[in-house]
Structures are given as C-alpha cells and as structure tokens.
Amino acid sequence: TKAYILMALVPGITACIWIKKTKQKYIGTKFLATHLMYFSILFNIHHVFPQYNLAKTIQWKQSKYYSLISEVKPGSAIESVPLDGSTWSVVRNTPHAVYSTLCRPFVWESRSPVILMAALENAVLLFLLIIILISFNPKKKITEPLFYLCIYFAFIIFALTGLVTPIMGAIVRYKIPALPFLIIAFLFIYDQKTLNRSKREKAIQIR
C-alpha cells in the first residue's frame, strides 16, 4: 500500500499552504507546529474513533513481518525492538528506526546483488551527508519551504520503514520514495564556499 506516502506528505503540504497564505516568516516553526499537531491527532484519534489506532496499526504491520521471518527465515533479517502498540513505543523506537533505514544494509551484510547495490547506495548517501555537514554554513538561512517539506517527508518515511519492517529487502523497497527528497534537501544545505574554505584551512595546517 502507498498510503504511508500520502500520510507523510499531508502535513508538509498543509504547512506549505499555511506559509503561502501567511507571511514567509517562521517557516521552520510552522512546519514543526504542523507536524506536531498532525501526528498528535493521528496518534490520539482512537480515543474518538476506536477503529483508527495508528500505533496499533504500526505494531500489527511489524508483527506480520515477524511472522514472515519465523516462517521463511530470510537471511536479511535485522534486529529490531518489538512494539507494544502504544504511542510511546513508537516514539521511543523512532531514532533507531531512522538509523536502520538510513544505514542498513551495510556492505558486509550483502548476500545478494540487490542488497549489495542498496548497501553501496547507503554508503554514497552517508558520504554525501558528511560532505554536506562539512560544507554547512550555520549563518546561511534556508527560507525555501520545499527544503523543510523534503526533510520532514524523508524523516517520516525512514521512521515508518524502520518501525514496521526488520527485513533489509523490504527496507530498501519502502525507503525509495524518500531518497529524491533527501537529495533535494542535501542540495539546499550544501555550501560550496564553506567547503572550499574548509579545504584551504586544512591545506594551510598541513603546510
């Protein structure tokens, strides 16, 4: 199902509309407020409509993968923390979920050409992330709503993917929609002048 993509896009699009209708100020704050409000509603709506429980839905989808692992015993399964169906378990395990989606599989975990390609893709992304962090200019203000939409969308997709599936092949498949958004966000942060200055400073130190 592609419902998770729509769910991840809705708050970002809502924030963009809010920003367009109002002044282009406090863009980051408006994106944060929109996402907090959106997910607060989603994770608490079961108090009004019991049939819609997002935390339990995520747990149910994760349990389906655990059942698949116990039946098929794939070699690409990774460690993950079982969710208990509560909102807190989702929040608590989100950092590890994002890490798993961003970094796994590692190159040495590759047991098939597809997993190897995904591992090399992760290595390239991590390398780009390091370059971006080196070139980052804290004085540079990003006022383009598209940057925030891309960052939040990628984060949500990575979190949901890591929370639901402990199988590397599925992780590779589910995180694909977020990758173009992540690259776009990287381009907004990248600062060639800062990177060149950092290289010159290192060259001077070596001399």
Side-chain angles (χ1 to χ4, degrees):
T1 177
K2 303 303 180 185
Y4 74 106
I5 298 177
L6 179 61
M7 184 180 74
L9 274 174
V10 166
I13 294 175
T14 302
C16 287
I17 294 173
W18 180 16
I19 291 167
K20 187 176 181 180
K21 295 292 185 180
T22 57
K23 295 181 179 179
Q24 295 272 347
K25 291 183 178 180
Y26 311 110
I27 294 176
T29 302
K30 289 177 180 177
F31 264 88
L32 178 61
T34 302
H35 281 79
L36 288 176
M37 179 65 70
Y38 176 74
F39 281 102
S40 294
I41 293 172
L42 284 185
F43 279 102
N44 287 283
I45 197 171
H46 65 277
H47 295 298
V48 180
F49 303 103
Q51 67 271 30
Y52 299 111
N53 192 318
L54 181 58
K56 286 192 176 296
T57 299
I58 294 174
Q59 180 201 24
W60 172 72
K61 288 186 174 294
Q62 185 195 58
S63 66
K64 288 178 65 178
Y65 276 101
Y66 280 136
S67 298
L68 179 64
I69 291 173
S70 63
E71 294 174 5
V72 181
K73 293 181 172 56
S76 60
I78 63 175
E79 70 281 355
S80 64
V81 180
L83 302 175
D84 61 16
S86 68
T87 300
W88 174 239
S89 71
V90 173
V91 174
R92 184 177 65 246
N93 291 293
T94 290
H96 183 267
V98 173
Y99 162 77
S100 296
T101 307
L102 179 63
C103 300
R104 308 290 290 273
F106 298 119
V107 174
W108 55 86
E109 295 176 317
S110 306
R111 298 185 181 181
S112 71
V114 174
I115 299 299
L116 176 60
M117 291 298 295
L120 294 175
E121 178 185 89
N122 287 345
V124 171
L125 280 176
L126 291 174
F127 174 76
L128 289 176
L129 180 59
I130 293 172
I131 296 298
I132 293 301
L133 292 176
I134 293 174
S135 73
F136 176 68
N137 182 359
K139 296 181 180 179
K140 178 182 178 182
K141 292 184 178 181
I142 302 176
T143 58
E144 178 56 57
L146 179 60
F147 164 75
Y148 294 94
L149 186 148
C150 291
I151 284 290
Y152 278 97
F153 177 78
F155 179 84
I156 294 169
I157 294 296
F158 278 30
L160 289 175
T161 299
L163 287 168
V164 167
T165 175
I167 300 177
M168 286 188 284
I171 289 175
V172 171
R173 183 171 71 254
Y174 286 137
K175 75 177 182 180
I176 287 175
L179 296 180
F181 289 82
L182 191 62
I183 296 299
I184 293 172
F186 282 174
L187 293 176
F188 275 108
I189 301 173
Y190 178 72
D191 191 308
Q192 182 65 48
K193 293 181 180 179
T194 304
L195 183 62
N196 291 338
R197 185 167 59 251
S198 178
K199 289 180 178 178
R200 287 196 299 269
E201 291 175 353
K202 289 182 179 180
I204 293 172
Q205 291 175 356
I206 292 174
R207 292 176 186 175

